[in-house]
Amino acid sequence: MAVIFISYASEDTDYVEKLTERFRELGQTVVWDKNLVAAGSPLRVLQDAMAEADVFLPVISASFMKKANPMLELLSAKANQSLSNQLIVPLLIDNVEVPPVISMLIYATDFDRLIDDAALKVVASILHHERVREATEQRLNEVEADLSSFVDIALQQQGDLQTRNTKIGERWNLAGAIFLALGLVIVFLVGWGVFRNGEPTLSRAISGLVIDVVAVGILGALAKYSYSIGKSYISEGLKSSDRAHAIRFGQFYLKAYGGRLTPAEVKDAFQHWNIDRSSTFSQLDASHIDPQILSILGQVASAAMAKK
């Protein structure tokens, strides 16, 4: 059952007292100034009771509209409604113009001062509100569970991608180092073959140089290609790490403010997780790893002919 705070004008005390009794018969808890014990400042006690109630019920009459304190209570409750999720159910007992602050709210009327009818109308509004709130909370819990599952899957996928791409990148870098080492080995072996029988002839020197140029050119190009591919994979792994970090921030934001977030705010919390959709592989350019062996061979041949 709900806790109902009643705001009223003193001229309507008799009506409110009877209404209070009927609410209690219907199983509701009623808070009004007659049953509050002032443990401190009376105003403070009244404000705390009003803020903690589930329902704010202003009994609006001609006298209510002329009183400053009831109107201030109404304005305060309306201002805090978005933060407290408190239900406001105005009850009109005089045919007066509805205050603009509650003109958009659903209100009950009891112009004939029929206490039982008024109490039943208010309780019906409260029960309807509670059913809607329970359905909304259930739906929010389902959405949060689905979103939590999605976040967990996304984090797992990004973690797997980071591990996979990092390992592949390291293997490509190792391959590049092996190609460079093979190039050095071939240069050493060719040089040793050229000079092993003493002073080399021009033709042997040119042959050795051509072999070195071709081998080093090809192996150097392969090494450069390997390093480029390895760098791309490692870069993709770092992107996965950054995306996982952004997802975890959104996850923290969701846990901290979950029930109070709107769909737009949830979207904003996760919008940066995949902001960079471009792949590093798209930036690879074949011209950057072209060994240009033919050009180098032409230069070697021209130098040899000039020497000859």
Side-chain angles (χ1 to χ4, degrees), residues 114-162:
L114 301 176
I115 300 295
D116 190 62
D117 287 348
L120 290 175
K121 289 178 182 178
V122 172
V123 171
S125 297
I126 294 172
L127 293 176
H128 174 72
H129 176 76
E130 289 180 347
R131 285 194 295 268
V132 171
R133 181 168 58 185
E134 288 174 359
T136 302
E137 289 179 353
Q138 181 180 357
R139 180 55 185 154
L140 284 174
N141 291 334
E142 293 173 355
V143 170
E144 286 184 14
D146 292 342
L147 184 56
S148 178
S149 176
F150 167 78
V151 168
D152 291 340
I153 293 173
L155 285 173
Q156 182 64 45
Q157 289 177 339
Q158 293 303 318
D160 293 343
L161 285 173
Q162 179 186 0

Side-chain angles (χ1 to χ4, degrees), residues 15-307:
Y15 176 89
V16 172
E17 188 170 3
K18 295 176 184 178
L19 184 65
T20 298
E21 291 301 323
R22 187 67 183 111
F23 278 142
R24 287 173 180 158
E25 292 173 1
L26 295 172
Q28 308 299 317
T29 300
V30 180
V31 177
W32 61 316
D33 58 355
K34 300 302 181 182
N35 63 0
L36 288 175
V37 178
S41 167
L43 179 59
R44 183 64 180 177
V45 171
L46 190 68
Q47 290 175 339
D48 290 343
M50 183 175 65
E52 294 170 3
D54 301 314
V55 181
F56 179 79
L57 177 66
V59 178
I60 300 176
S61 64
S63 299
F64 183 98
M65 298 297 294
K66 298 175 183 178
K67 299 288 185 177
N69 287 342
M71 287 299 296
L72 287 175
E73 291 175 358
L74 176 58
L75 292 171
S76 177
K78 190 66 176 68
N80 296 326
Q81 186 181 28
S82 59
L83 298 176
S84 63
N85 198 31
Q86 186 180 67
L87 175 64
I88 300 177
V89 183
L91 174 61
L92 274 67
I93 61 175
D94 286 335
N95 191 9
V96 296
E97 185 178 354
V98 177
V101 69
I102 60 170
S103 60
M104 299 301 293
L105 298 177
I106 297 175
Y107 49 86
T109 59
D110 186 24
F111 298 151
D112 297 327
R113 306 292 178 102
L114 301 176
I115 300 295
D116 190 62
D117 287 348
L120 290 175
K121 289 178 182 178
V122 172
V123 171
S125 297
I126 294 172
L127 293 176
H128 174 72
H129 176 76
E130 289 180 347
R131 285 194 295 268
V132 171
R133 181 168 58 185
E134 288 174 359
T136 302
E137 289 179 353
Q138 181 180 357
R139 180 55 185 154
L140 284 174
N141 291 334
E142 293 173 355
V143 170
E144 286 184 14
D146 292 342
L147 184 56
S148 178
S149 176
F150 167 78
V151 168
D152 291 340
I153 293 173
L155 285 173
Q156 182 64 45
Q157 289 177 339
Q158 293 303 318
D160 293 343
L161 285 173
Q162 179 186 0
T163 301
R164 169 183 172 274
N165 289 333
T166 300
K167 288 182 177 179
I168 295 176
E170 290 173 349
R171 290 171 184 170
W172 275 106
N173 286 338
L174 178 61
I178 292 173
F179 287 133
L180 287 178
L182 286 175
L184 294 175
V185 170
I186 290 175
V187 170
F188 172 78
L189 292 177
V190 171
W192 179 77
V194 171
F195 289 95
R196 66 178 177 175
N197 295 323
E199 188 71 22
T201 62
L202 179 61
S203 60
R204 286 170 55 195
I206 292 175
S207 298
L209 181 60
V210 169
I211 293 173
D212 283 344
V213 169
V214 173
V216 171
I218 293 176
L219 291 173
L222 290 174
K224 189 173 182 180
Y225 175 79
S226 299
Y227 283 129
S228 298
I229 295 295
K231 179 182 178 182
S232 297
Y233 272 108
I234 290 177
S235 177
E236 288 298 310
L238 291 174
K239 284 184 180 181
S240 295
S241 177
D242 291 340
R243 289 166 181 163
H245 176 75
I247 292 173
R248 288 191 183 94
F249 174 79
Q251 186 181 42
F252 165 77
Y253 195 77
L254 181 65
K255 288 181 179 179
Y257 302 100
R260 289 173 284 174
L261 294 180
T262 64
E265 289 171 332
V266 173
K267 181 179 178 181
D268 289 342
F270 288 94
Q271 68 175 336
H272 298 296
W273 82 272
N274 196 24
I275 193 169
D276 185 2
R277 296 179 177 83
S278 62
S279 172
T280 312
F281 294 101
S282 64
Q283 301 173 9
L284 291 176
D285 189 346
S287 64
H288 293 165
I289 59 173
D290 183 5
Q292 299 181 344
I293 294 176
L294 294 178
S295 176
I296 296 174
L297 287 177
Q299 295 175 12
V300 170
S302 298
M305 293 298 293
K307 182 70 176 176

